[in-house]
Amino acid sequence: MEFRRGLSYAARAVSPVTPDERREAIAAQVEKAVTNTQVFDIHTHLYDPAFGGLLLWGLDDLLTYHYLVAEAFRYFDMPYDKFWALSKTRQADLIWDALFVQHSPVSEACRGVLTTLNLLGLDVKKRDLPKLRRWFARWKPDAYITRCMEIANVSRVCMTNSPFDDVERAVWEKGFTRDERFTAALRIDPLLLDWPTTAPRLAAWGYKVSSDLSDRTVGEVRRFLADWSRRIHARYVMVSLPPDFVYPGEHLCARLMDTAVLPHCREFGLPFAMMPGARRAVNPQLRLAGDGLGRCNVVSYEAIFAGHPDNKFLITALSRENQHEFCVAARKFRNLHLFGCWWFTNIPHLVNEMTRMRLELIGLSVTPQHSDARVLDQIVYKWDHSRRVISQVLVEKYLDLAQTGWEPTHMEIKRDVKALFGGEFERFCGVPARGEPAGAKPAPRPVTARTPSAAAGVASRS
Ligand code: FIX
Ligand code: ZN
Protein backbone atom coordinates (compact mmCIF):
# COMPACT_ATOMS: atom_id res chain seq x y z
CA MET A 1 0.00 0.00 0.00
CA GLU A 2 1.19 3.50 -0.79
CA PHE A 3 1.40 5.42 2.46
CA ARG A 4 2.21 9.06 1.92
CA ARG A 5 5.00 7.90 -0.33
CA GLY A 6 6.59 10.79 -2.13
CA LEU A 7 5.93 13.20 0.69
CA SER A 8 8.80 14.58 2.71
CA TYR A 9 9.00 12.86 6.06
CA ALA A 10 11.68 15.16 7.40
CA ALA A 11 10.92 16.50 10.85
CA ARG A 12 7.38 15.20 10.64
CA ALA A 13 5.89 12.42 12.68
CA VAL A 14 4.67 9.27 10.98
CA SER A 15 0.97 10.00 11.28
CA PRO A 16 -1.05 6.88 11.85
CA VAL A 17 -4.17 6.15 9.90
CA THR A 18 -4.83 2.56 10.83
CA PRO A 19 -2.55 0.31 12.89
CA ASP A 20 -1.50 -1.57 9.73
CA GLU A 21 -0.68 1.63 7.91
CA ARG A 22 1.25 2.87 10.89
CA ARG A 23 3.29 -0.34 11.00
CA GLU A 24 3.93 -0.20 7.29
CA ALA A 25 5.00 3.44 7.39
CA ILE A 26 7.34 2.96 10.32
CA ALA A 27 8.76 -0.25 8.87
CA ALA A 28 9.43 1.46 5.53
CA GLN A 29 11.26 4.33 7.18
CA VAL A 30 13.29 2.14 9.50
CA GLU A 31 14.29 -0.23 6.71
CA LYS A 32 15.32 2.70 4.56
CA ALA A 33 17.40 4.24 7.32
CA VAL A 34 18.99 0.92 8.27
CA THR A 35 19.78 0.06 4.65
CA ASN A 36 21.16 3.48 3.77
CA THR A 37 23.17 4.27 6.88
CA GLN A 38 26.84 3.46 6.54
CA VAL A 39 28.36 1.30 9.22
CA PHE A 40 31.63 1.69 11.09
CA ASP A 41 32.42 -1.98 11.71
CA ILE A 42 34.25 -1.70 15.01
CA HIS A 43 35.71 -5.19 15.33
CA THR A 44 36.95 -7.34 12.47
CA HIS A 45 39.94 -9.49 11.64
CA LEU A 46 40.39 -7.83 8.25
CA TYR A 47 43.56 -6.05 7.20
CA ASP A 48 44.58 -2.95 5.31
CA PRO A 49 45.53 -4.16 1.81
CA ALA A 50 49.14 -3.28 2.58
CA PHE A 51 49.24 -6.46 4.68
CA GLY A 52 49.02 -8.54 1.54
CA GLY A 53 48.07 -12.16 2.14
CA LEU A 54 46.85 -11.43 5.69
CA LEU A 55 43.70 -9.97 4.16
CA LEU A 56 41.60 -13.03 3.34
CA TRP A 57 39.00 -12.84 0.60
CA GLY A 58 37.29 -14.97 -2.03
CA LEU A 59 35.37 -18.21 -2.20
CA ASP A 60 37.90 -20.64 -0.79
CA ASP A 61 38.57 -18.39 2.19
CA LEU A 62 34.81 -18.07 2.71
CA LEU A 63 34.39 -21.85 2.64
CA THR A 64 37.31 -22.57 4.94
CA TYR A 65 36.15 -20.03 7.56
CA HIS A 66 36.62 -21.69 10.93
CA TYR A 67 32.89 -21.54 11.66
CA LEU A 68 32.35 -23.83 8.65
CA VAL A 69 35.31 -26.06 9.48
CA ALA A 70 33.72 -26.83 12.87
CA GLU A 71 30.40 -27.62 11.22
CA ALA A 72 31.93 -29.75 8.47
CA PHE A 73 33.84 -31.90 10.94
CA ARG A 74 30.52 -33.00 12.37
CA TYR A 75 30.06 -34.91 9.09
CA PHE A 76 33.67 -35.78 8.19
CA ASP A 77 35.13 -39.00 9.41
CA MET A 78 38.69 -38.33 8.25
CA PRO A 79 41.44 -37.67 10.80
CA TYR A 80 41.98 -34.00 11.63
CA ASP A 81 45.59 -34.06 10.43
CA LYS A 82 44.61 -35.43 7.07
CA PHE A 83 42.25 -32.48 6.54
CA TRP A 84 44.84 -29.92 7.62
CA ALA A 85 47.40 -31.41 5.21
CA LEU A 86 45.15 -30.66 2.25
CA SER A 87 45.37 -27.52 0.12
CA LYS A 88 42.91 -24.75 0.86
CA THR A 89 41.07 -25.50 -2.39
CA ARG A 90 40.67 -29.16 -1.50
CA GLN A 91 39.51 -28.28 2.02
CA ALA A 92 36.96 -25.91 0.50
CA ASP A 93 35.79 -28.69 -1.88
CA LEU A 94 35.18 -31.04 1.04
CA ILE A 95 33.38 -28.40 3.10
CA TRP A 96 31.21 -27.44 0.14
CA ASP A 97 30.30 -31.06 -0.43
CA ALA A 98 29.52 -31.82 3.23
CA LEU A 99 27.67 -28.62 4.10
CA PHE A 100 26.11 -27.47 0.85
CA VAL A 101 25.67 -30.54 -1.34
CA GLN A 102 25.07 -33.44 1.04
CA HIS A 103 22.92 -31.33 3.38
CA SER A 104 20.93 -28.15 3.03
CA PRO A 105 23.03 -25.19 4.21
CA VAL A 106 20.69 -23.93 6.90
CA SER A 107 23.22 -22.90 9.55
CA GLU A 108 23.95 -19.19 9.90
CA ALA A 109 27.53 -19.57 8.64
CA CYS A 110 26.42 -21.57 5.59
CA ARG A 111 23.55 -19.22 4.84
CA GLY A 112 26.09 -16.42 5.06
CA VAL A 113 28.13 -17.81 2.18
CA LEU A 114 25.01 -17.95 0.03
CA THR A 115 23.87 -14.45 1.01
CA THR A 116 27.29 -13.16 0.08
CA LEU A 117 27.31 -14.89 -3.29
CA ASN A 118 23.78 -13.77 -3.99
CA LEU A 119 24.46 -10.13 -3.15
CA LEU A 120 27.61 -10.24 -5.26
CA GLY A 121 25.28 -11.10 -8.14
CA LEU A 122 26.16 -14.79 -8.47
CA ASP A 123 23.71 -17.55 -9.23
CA VAL A 124 23.94 -20.10 -6.42
CA LYS A 125 21.18 -22.41 -7.52
CA LYS A 126 23.34 -24.38 -9.96
CA ARG A 127 25.65 -25.38 -7.08
CA ASP A 128 28.54 -25.01 -9.54
CA LEU A 129 31.65 -24.47 -7.41
CA PRO A 130 34.21 -24.31 -10.27
CA LYS A 131 32.12 -21.65 -12.03
CA LEU A 132 31.83 -19.62 -8.85
CA ARG A 133 35.59 -19.87 -8.38
CA ARG A 134 36.17 -18.54 -11.90
CA TRP A 135 34.15 -15.43 -11.07
CA PHE A 136 36.29 -14.66 -8.02
CA ALA A 137 39.48 -15.21 -10.00
CA ARG A 138 38.71 -12.13 -12.08
CA TRP A 139 38.97 -9.75 -9.13
CA LYS A 140 41.95 -7.79 -7.87
CA PRO A 141 42.00 -7.11 -4.12
CA ASP A 142 41.73 -3.33 -4.12
CA ALA A 143 38.70 -3.20 -6.40
CA TYR A 144 37.17 -6.09 -4.52
CA ILE A 145 37.53 -4.32 -1.15
CA THR A 146 35.68 -1.35 -2.59
CA ARG A 147 32.97 -3.58 -4.04
CA CYS A 148 32.38 -5.51 -0.81
CA MET A 149 32.32 -2.34 1.28
CA GLU A 150 29.86 -0.79 -1.14
CA ILE A 151 27.51 -3.76 -1.05
CA ALA A 152 27.78 -4.05 2.74
CA ASN A 153 27.46 -0.25 3.04
CA VAL A 154 30.39 -0.22 5.43
CA SER A 155 32.48 2.95 5.45
CA ARG A 156 35.28 1.83 7.78
CA VAL A 157 36.39 -1.32 9.52
CA CYS A 158 38.51 -1.66 12.61
CA MET A 159 41.24 -4.27 12.33
CA THR A 160 42.59 -6.45 15.14
CA ASN A 161 46.30 -5.67 15.25
CA SER A 162 48.74 -7.80 17.15
CA PRO A 163 52.39 -6.83 17.58
CA PHE A 164 52.84 -10.46 18.66
CA ASP A 165 52.05 -11.74 15.17
CA ASP A 166 55.42 -11.96 13.41
CA VAL A 167 54.05 -11.41 9.92
CA GLU A 168 51.91 -8.47 10.93
CA ARG A 169 54.59 -6.87 13.11
CA ALA A 170 57.06 -6.82 10.23
CA VAL A 171 54.64 -4.85 8.05
CA TRP A 172 54.05 -2.22 10.74
CA GLU A 173 57.76 -1.91 11.43
CA LYS A 174 58.55 -1.40 7.76
CA GLY A 175 55.81 1.23 7.45
CA PHE A 176 53.25 1.79 4.73
CA THR A 177 50.67 4.28 3.53
CA ARG A 178 47.50 3.66 5.46
CA ASP A 179 44.19 3.04 3.75
CA GLU A 180 41.84 5.29 5.70
CA ARG A 181 39.04 2.72 5.53
CA PHE A 182 41.02 0.47 7.89
CA THR A 183 41.43 1.72 11.45
CA ALA A 184 43.47 -0.14 14.04
CA ALA A 185 42.98 -1.70 17.47
CA LEU A 186 45.90 -2.89 19.59
CA ARG A 187 45.38 -6.54 20.56
CA ILE A 188 47.35 -7.62 23.61
CA ASP A 189 46.19 -11.13 24.60
CA PRO A 190 49.71 -12.59 24.91
CA LEU A 191 50.79 -9.71 27.16
CA LEU A 192 47.98 -10.21 29.66
CA LEU A 193 47.39 -13.94 29.38
CA ASP A 194 50.87 -15.35 28.86
CA TRP A 195 53.41 -13.06 30.52
CA PRO A 196 56.06 -15.79 31.02
CA THR A 197 56.29 -16.30 27.24
CA THR A 198 55.76 -12.65 26.37
CA ALA A 199 58.39 -11.12 28.69
CA PRO A 200 61.35 -12.64 26.79
CA ARG A 201 59.84 -11.46 23.51
CA LEU A 202 59.55 -7.88 24.77
CA ALA A 203 63.14 -8.14 26.03
CA ALA A 204 64.27 -9.31 22.60
CA TRP A 205 62.58 -6.25 21.07
CA GLY A 206 64.57 -3.93 23.33
CA TYR A 207 62.20 -3.40 26.26
CA LYS A 208 64.06 -3.82 29.55
CA VAL A 209 61.63 -6.19 31.21
CA SER A 210 62.23 -9.08 33.55
CA SER A 211 59.78 -11.78 34.51
CA ASP A 212 58.83 -10.02 37.77
CA LEU A 213 56.58 -6.98 37.62
CA SER A 214 59.07 -4.51 39.08
CA ASP A 215 58.56 -0.78 38.56
CA ARG A 216 61.11 -0.85 35.76
CA THR A 217 59.36 -3.74 34.02
CA VAL A 218 55.98 -2.03 34.30
CA GLY A 219 57.49 1.18 32.91
CA GLU A 220 58.87 -0.74 29.97
CA VAL A 221 55.54 -2.48 29.32
CA ARG A 222 53.99 0.98 29.21
CA ARG A 223 56.67 2.11 26.79
CA PHE A 224 55.83 -0.89 24.59
CA LEU A 225 52.11 -0.04 24.71
CA ALA A 226 52.84 3.61 23.94
CA ASP A 227 55.08 2.74 20.99
CA TRP A 228 52.50 0.43 19.47
CA SER A 229 49.52 2.68 20.15
CA ARG A 230 51.36 5.42 18.30
CA ARG A 231 52.69 3.21 15.55
CA ILE A 232 49.33 1.75 14.57
CA HIS A 233 47.27 4.77 15.52
CA ALA A 234 45.14 2.59 17.80
CA ARG A 235 41.49 3.44 18.37
CA TYR A 236 41.37 1.16 21.40
CA VAL A 237 43.33 -1.53 23.21
CA MET A 238 41.78 -4.99 23.38
CA VAL A 239 41.97 -8.41 24.98
CA SER A 240 39.84 -11.53 25.07
CA LEU A 241 39.57 -13.08 28.51
CA PRO A 242 38.77 -16.60 29.70
CA PRO A 243 35.53 -17.19 31.63
CA ASP A 244 37.42 -17.80 34.88
CA PHE A 245 39.11 -14.38 34.89
CA VAL A 246 38.71 -12.77 38.31
CA TYR A 247 39.38 -9.25 39.48
CA PRO A 248 40.84 -7.98 41.74
CA GLY A 249 43.56 -10.52 42.18
CA GLU A 250 47.25 -11.07 42.61
CA HIS A 251 47.61 -12.92 39.32
CA LEU A 252 49.74 -11.44 36.56
CA CYS A 253 46.83 -10.50 34.32
CA ALA A 254 45.12 -8.32 36.95
CA ARG A 255 48.42 -6.81 38.06
CA LEU A 256 49.44 -5.93 34.51
CA MET A 257 46.04 -4.41 33.89
CA ASP A 258 46.27 -2.26 37.03
CA THR A 259 49.84 -1.16 36.65
CA ALA A 260 50.37 -0.92 32.91
CA VAL A 261 47.36 -1.34 30.63
CA LEU A 262 44.78 0.82 32.38
CA PRO A 263 47.21 3.68 33.15
CA HIS A 264 48.32 3.53 29.51
CA CYS A 265 44.72 3.71 28.29
CA ARG A 266 44.07 6.67 30.59
CA GLU A 267 47.17 8.48 29.41
CA PHE A 268 46.33 7.95 25.74
CA GLY A 269 42.58 8.41 26.17
CA LEU A 270 41.97 4.97 24.68
CA PRO A 271 39.09 2.66 25.62
CA PHE A 272 40.03 -0.80 26.81
CA ALA A 273 37.97 -3.51 25.12
CA MET A 274 37.50 -6.70 27.07
CA MET A 275 35.94 -9.73 25.42
CA PRO A 276 35.03 -12.19 28.16
CA GLY A 277 34.15 -15.82 27.78
CA ALA A 278 36.54 -17.34 25.22
CA ARG A 279 37.82 -20.80 26.15
CA ARG A 280 40.70 -21.29 23.79
CA ALA A 281 41.55 -24.66 22.26
CA VAL A 282 38.78 -26.71 23.81
CA ASN A 283 39.53 -29.05 20.91
CA PRO A 284 43.03 -28.14 19.69
CA GLN A 285 42.74 -30.55 16.76
CA LEU A 286 40.25 -28.15 15.20
CA ARG A 287 42.84 -25.35 15.37
CA LEU A 288 41.13 -21.94 15.06
CA ALA A 289 37.75 -23.72 15.04
CA GLY A 290 38.47 -25.40 18.36
CA ASP A 291 37.65 -22.55 20.77
CA GLY A 292 34.65 -22.79 23.07
CA LEU A 293 32.91 -20.50 25.49
CA GLY A 294 32.02 -20.12 29.14
CA ARG A 295 30.06 -17.76 31.31
CA CYS A 296 32.16 -15.12 33.06
CA ASN A 297 31.85 -13.50 36.45
CA VAL A 298 30.34 -10.06 35.80
CA VAL A 299 31.09 -9.02 39.41
CA SER A 300 34.80 -9.00 38.51
CA TYR A 301 34.14 -6.70 35.58
CA GLU A 302 31.99 -4.41 37.70
CA ALA A 303 34.94 -4.13 40.09
CA ILE A 304 37.11 -3.00 37.16
CA PHE A 305 34.57 -0.42 35.96
CA ALA A 306 34.03 0.87 39.49
CA GLY A 307 37.71 0.98 40.34
CA HIS A 308 38.67 2.90 37.20
CA PRO A 309 36.12 5.65 36.63
CA ASP A 310 38.60 7.51 34.42
CA ASN A 311 38.96 4.58 32.05
CA LYS A 312 36.53 3.71 29.28
CA PHE A 313 35.60 0.08 28.69
CA LEU A 314 34.16 -1.72 25.70
CA ILE A 315 32.61 -5.12 26.37
CA THR A 316 31.29 -7.89 24.17
CA ALA A 317 30.66 -11.14 26.04
CA LEU A 318 30.61 -14.53 24.39
CA SER A 319 28.12 -16.32 26.59
CA ARG A 320 24.42 -15.73 26.08
CA GLU A 321 24.02 -16.13 29.84
CA ASN A 322 26.13 -13.00 30.51
CA GLN A 323 24.21 -10.63 28.29
CA HIS A 324 21.55 -9.56 30.75
CA GLU A 325 24.06 -9.03 33.55
CA PHE A 326 26.21 -6.81 31.34
CA CYS A 327 23.19 -4.74 30.31
CA VAL A 328 22.50 -4.12 33.98
CA ALA A 329 26.18 -3.29 34.55
CA ALA A 330 25.96 -0.76 31.72
CA ARG A 331 23.11 0.96 33.55
CA LYS A 332 25.42 1.39 36.55
CA PHE A 333 28.65 2.35 34.83
CA ARG A 334 28.68 5.05 32.19
CA ASN A 335 32.30 4.20 31.46
CA LEU A 336 31.06 0.93 29.91
CA HIS A 337 29.95 0.62 26.31
CA LEU A 338 28.50 -2.69 25.13
CA PHE A 339 29.09 -3.75 21.57
CA GLY A 340 28.34 -6.51 19.13
CA CYS A 341 26.92 -10.00 19.20
CA TRP A 342 30.17 -11.85 19.29
CA TRP A 343 30.90 -15.11 17.45
CA PHE A 344 28.52 -17.80 18.83
CA THR A 345 25.96 -15.12 19.64
CA ASN A 346 25.99 -13.84 16.06
CA ILE A 347 23.00 -15.88 14.97
CA PRO A 348 19.69 -14.19 14.15
CA HIS A 349 17.91 -15.69 17.15
CA LEU A 350 20.40 -14.24 19.62
CA VAL A 351 21.01 -10.99 17.75
CA ASN A 352 17.29 -10.39 18.02
CA GLU A 353 17.18 -11.28 21.70
CA MET A 354 20.28 -9.29 22.61
CA THR A 355 19.38 -6.22 20.57
CA ARG A 356 15.90 -6.17 22.04
CA MET A 357 17.24 -6.59 25.58
CA ARG A 358 19.87 -3.92 25.12
CA LEU A 359 17.45 -1.36 23.70
CA GLU A 360 14.99 -2.11 26.47
CA LEU A 361 17.60 -1.73 29.21
CA ILE A 362 20.04 0.88 27.95
CA GLY A 363 18.27 2.50 25.02
CA LEU A 364 20.42 3.57 22.12
CA SER A 365 23.69 3.90 24.06
CA VAL A 366 25.06 0.72 22.53
CA THR A 367 26.73 -0.56 19.36
CA PRO A 368 24.50 -3.53 18.61
CA GLN A 369 26.76 -5.26 16.16
CA HIS A 370 30.22 -5.73 14.73
CA SER A 371 31.00 -8.26 12.02
CA ASP A 372 34.10 -10.04 13.35
CA ALA A 373 34.71 -10.78 9.68
CA ARG A 374 37.86 -12.80 9.06
CA VAL A 375 37.25 -12.88 5.33
CA LEU A 376 36.52 -9.60 3.57
CA ASP A 377 33.47 -10.88 1.69
CA GLN A 378 31.83 -11.80 5.01
CA ILE A 379 30.99 -8.17 5.70
CA VAL A 380 28.42 -8.53 2.92
CA TYR A 381 26.38 -11.22 4.67
CA LYS A 382 27.11 -10.32 8.26
CA TRP A 383 25.80 -6.81 7.76
CA ASP A 384 22.89 -7.90 5.59
CA HIS A 385 21.74 -10.39 8.21
CA SER A 386 22.36 -8.01 11.13
CA ARG A 387 20.60 -5.12 9.43
CA ARG A 388 17.49 -7.27 8.96
CA VAL A 389 17.30 -8.15 12.65
CA ILE A 390 18.18 -4.68 13.94
CA SER A 391 15.53 -3.27 11.65
CA GLN A 392 12.87 -5.68 12.96
CA VAL A 393 13.68 -4.82 16.55
CA LEU A 394 13.64 -1.07 15.89
CA VAL A 395 10.29 -1.28 14.15
CA GLU A 396 8.81 -3.01 17.20
CA LYS A 397 10.28 -0.40 19.52
CA TYR A 398 9.01 2.56 17.48
CA LEU A 399 5.59 0.94 17.23
CA ASP A 400 5.50 0.59 20.99
CA LEU A 401 6.29 4.30 21.23
CA ALA A 402 3.71 5.18 18.60
CA GLN A 403 1.08 3.46 20.73
CA THR A 404 1.61 6.23 23.27
CA GLY A 405 1.27 8.93 20.66
CA TRP A 406 5.07 9.46 20.44
CA GLU A 407 5.51 8.99 16.72
CA PRO A 408 9.10 9.03 15.50
CA THR A 409 10.00 11.45 12.75
CA HIS A 410 12.09 10.42 9.79
CA MET A 411 14.96 12.52 11.10
CA GLU A 412 14.75 10.90 14.51
CA ILE A 413 14.85 7.43 13.00
CA LYS A 414 17.87 8.34 10.88
CA ARG A 415 19.62 9.86 13.89
CA ASP A 416 19.02 6.75 15.97
CA VAL A 417 20.27 4.35 13.31
CA LYS A 418 23.39 6.45 12.83
CA ALA A 419 24.04 6.21 16.55
CA LEU A 420 23.71 2.43 16.49
CA PHE A 421 25.96 2.00 13.45
CA GLY A 422 29.01 3.77 14.84
CA GLY A 423 27.86 7.14 16.13
CA GLU A 424 27.49 6.04 19.74
CA PHE A 425 30.82 4.26 19.60
CA GLU A 426 32.52 7.44 18.40
CA ARG A 427 30.76 9.53 21.02
CA PHE A 428 31.75 7.12 23.77
CA CYS A 429 35.37 6.92 22.65
CA GLY A 430 35.72 10.68 22.27
CA VAL A 431 38.94 12.19 21.05
CA PRO A 432 42.06 10.30 22.13
CA ALA A 433 44.21 12.39 24.48
CA ARG A 434 47.50 11.29 23.03
CA GLY A 435 46.33 8.90 20.39
CA GLU A 436 47.41 11.11 17.53
CA PRO A 437 50.86 9.80 16.85
CA ALA A 438 53.53 11.68 15.00
CA GLY A 439 53.81 9.17 12.17
CA ALA A 440 51.62 6.48 10.66
CA LYS A 441 48.62 8.74 10.16
CA PRO A 442 46.16 7.18 7.76
CA ALA A 443 46.53 8.79 4.38
CA PRO A 444 43.41 9.66 2.45
CA ARG A 445 42.42 6.79 0.23
CA PRO A 446 44.15 7.09 -3.13
CA VAL A 447 41.71 8.20 -5.77
CA THR A 448 43.24 5.99 -8.41
CA ALA A 449 42.96 2.29 -7.74
CA ARG A 450 46.18 0.75 -6.57
CA THR A 451 47.44 -2.25 -8.44
CA PRO A 452 47.98 -5.42 -6.39
CA SER A 453 51.71 -5.26 -7.00
CA ALA A 454 51.81 -1.81 -5.43
CA ALA A 455 49.92 -3.17 -2.44
CA ALA A 456 52.92 -4.96 -0.98
CA GLY A 457 52.59 -8.43 -2.29
CA VAL A 458 48.83 -8.91 -2.49
CA ALA A 459 48.54 -11.82 -4.84
CA SER A 460 46.21 -11.28 -7.74
CA ARG A 461 43.88 -14.21 -8.16
CA SER A 462 43.41 -13.68 -11.85
O1 FIX B 1 39.12 -13.24 19.79
C1 FIX B 1 38.47 -12.79 18.84
O2 FIX B 1 38.56 -11.63 18.45
C2 FIX B 1 37.53 -13.75 18.16
O3 FIX B 1 36.60 -13.02 17.41
C3 FIX B 1 38.27 -14.73 17.31
O4 FIX B 1 39.33 -15.24 18.04
C4 FIX B 1 37.41 -15.86 16.77
O5 FIX B 1 38.26 -16.83 16.22
C5 FIX B 1 36.46 -15.40 15.73
O6 FIX B 1 36.80 -15.33 14.58
C6 FIX B 1 35.13 -15.09 16.11
O7 FIX B 1 34.32 -14.62 15.31
ZN1 ZN C 1 37.21 -11.20 16.90
Side-chain angles (χ1 to χ4, degrees):
M1 182 198 327
E2 286 291 311
F3 181 73
R4 295 165 189 253
R5 218 161 269 157
L7 295 181
S8 165
Y9 287 109
R12 180 172 59 72
V14 180
S15 305
V17 180
T18 67
D20 278 354
E21 286 172 340
R22 173 191 274 158
R23 168 175 274 279
E24 199 185 318
I26 288 180
Q29 294 199 49
V30 170
E31 275 155 31
K32 192 170 165 203
V34 166
T35 304
N36 293 341
T37 303
Q38 290 204 312
V39 165
F40 176 15
D41 191 347
I42 67 168
H43 171 55
T44 75
H45 297 265
L46 303 178
Y47 286 90
D48 184 307
F51 287 85
L54 286 182
L55 173 65
L56 303 182
W57 62 279
L59 190 52
D60 288 340
D61 282 318
L62 283 173
L63 288 171
T64 54
Y65 185 34
H66 68 78
Y67 290 26
L68 293 179
V69 169
E71 291 171 31
F73 261 104
R74 298 190 52 72
Y75 298 118
F76 293 165
D77 52 15
M78 74 171 77
Y80 293 103
D81 285 348
K82 199 168 162 203
F83 176 81
W84 293 121
L86 299 172
S87 69
K88 191 193 285 182
T89 310
R90 188 69 195 120
Q91 290 175 359
D93 286 342
L94 293 178
I95 291 172
W96 174 260
D97 185 61
L99 297 182
F100 292 80
V101 180
Q102 302 298 330
H103 305 87
S104 293
V106 296
S107 77
E108 174 64 6
C110 287
R111 172 190 168 221
V113 174
L114 299 180
T115 300
T116 300
L117 296 176
N118 181 248
L119 291 176
L120 286 166
L122 292 158
D123 182 3
V124 295
K125 71 173 166 296
K126 295 204 182 76
R127 291 137 168 87
D128 186 344
L129 189 55
K131 189 169 178 202
L132 293 168
R133 279 197 176 113
R134 284 198 293 279
W135 183 89
F136 281 91
R138 292 203 293 268
W139 282 94
K140 304 247 187 291
D142 209 48
Y144 195 60
I145 292 170
T146 303
R147 184 74 192 120
C148 287
M149 292 183 77
E150 265 167 20
I151 300 175
N153 205 13
V154 166
S155 55
R156 273 173 306 152
V157 301
C158 191
M159 305 177 277
T160 296
N161 302 105
S162 174
F164 303 99
D165 178 308
D166 292 337
V167 180
E168 176 170 355
R169 191 178 64 256
V171 179
W172 286 114
E173 282 173 347
K174 191 160 170 250
F176 58 94
T177 303
R178 295 282 294 268
D179 182 325
E180 66 174 1
R181 296 170 296 181
F182 293 78
T183 56
L186 180 59
R187 184 77 179 237
I188 57 167
D189 292 28
L191 178 72
L192 287 178
L193 303 179
D194 191 9
W195 175 247
T197 311
T198 302
R201 298 190 75 192
L202 290 192
W205 298 334
Y207 297 96
K208 295 181 182 57
V209 297
S210 46
S211 53
D212 61 65
L213 293 188
S214 63
D215 287 352
R216 185 168 92 149
T217 294
V218 165
E220 286 294 276
V221 171
R222 284 191 64 175
R223 187 163 70 84
F224 166 79
L225 292 169
D227 288 348
W228 277 93
S229 295
R230 288 201 185 93
R231 177 173 282 137
I232 73 173
H233 203 102
R235 290 300 308 268
Y236 57 90
V237 179
M238 71 188 305
V239 68
S240 71
L241 291 164
D244 57 4
F245 169 77
V246 285
Y247 183 95
E250 279 311 304
H251 52 92
L252 288 164
C253 179
R255 285 170 60 204
L256 276 163
M257 266 190 198
D258 279 341
T259 56
V261 175
L262 293 173
H264 165 74
C265 288
R266 282 197 297 275
E267 184 190 350
F268 278 66
L270 296 176
F272 182 43
M274 293 184 285
M275 306 168 79
R279 284 172 61 223
R280 300 292 178 188
V282 169
N283 179 357
Q285 308 223 67
L286 278 172
R287 301 194 180 176
L288 203 51
D291 298 341
L293 68 77
R295 181 180 182 159
C296 74
N297 179 359
V298 175
V299 174
S300 285
Y301 290 85
E302 286 172 341
I304 300 178
F305 310 142
H308 303 89
D310 297 332
N311 278 93
K312 294 178 182 183
F313 298 94
L314 302 166
I315 289 268
T316 191
L318 199 46
S319 169
R320 178 192 191 183
E321 283 65 33
N322 281 133
Q323 304 306 329
H324 185 243
E325 297 162 298
F326 272 119
C327 280
V328 174
R331 294 175 66 87
K332 310 299 145 194
F333 299 102
R334 62 181 173 172
N335 57 342
L336 165 61
H337 183 82
L338 299 182
F339 75 99
C341 299
W342 182 25
W343 200 345
F344 307 115
T345 62
N346 191 1
I347 53 172
H349 179 78
L350 292 184
V351 177
N352 187 304
E353 173 179 294
M354 285 167 61
T355 306
R356 195 172 287 273
M357 185 176 3
R358 286 164 165 179
L359 295 196
E360 288 169 7
L361 277 165
I362 51 174
L364 296 162
S365 62
V366 64
T367 301
Q369 193 53 304
H370 66 268
S371 77
D372 231 311
R374 278 186 178 266
V375 182
L376 169 69
D377 330 39
Q378 290 169 344
I379 59 173
V380 170
Y381 92 78
K382 297 217 185 204
W383 282 108
D384 179 72
H385 293 187
S386 294
R387 275 189 163 96
R388 284 170 199 266
V389 180
I390 292 167
S391 189
Q392 282 162 12
V393 175
L394 278 176
V395 169
E396 292 307 321
K397 294 296 132 205
Y398 288 129
L399 280 172
D400 289 347
L401 296 185
Q403 292 259 327
T404 72
W406 184 281
E407 293 172 2
T409 67
H410 185 49
M411 297 308 285
E412 286 167 346
I413 292 172
K414 275 172 71 173
R415 173 202 63 197
D416 295 348
V417 173
K418 247 178 131 171
L420 294 176
F421 284 2
E424 263 306 289
F425 173 80
E426 299 276 22
R427 186 190 67 81
F428 177 81
C429 294
V431 181
R434 293 180 53 182
E436 300 293 332
K441 249 189 132 130
R445 182 150 59 97
V447 180
T448 49
R450 274 180 286 165
T451 60
S453 57
V458 179
S460 157
R461 301 191 184 191
S462 54

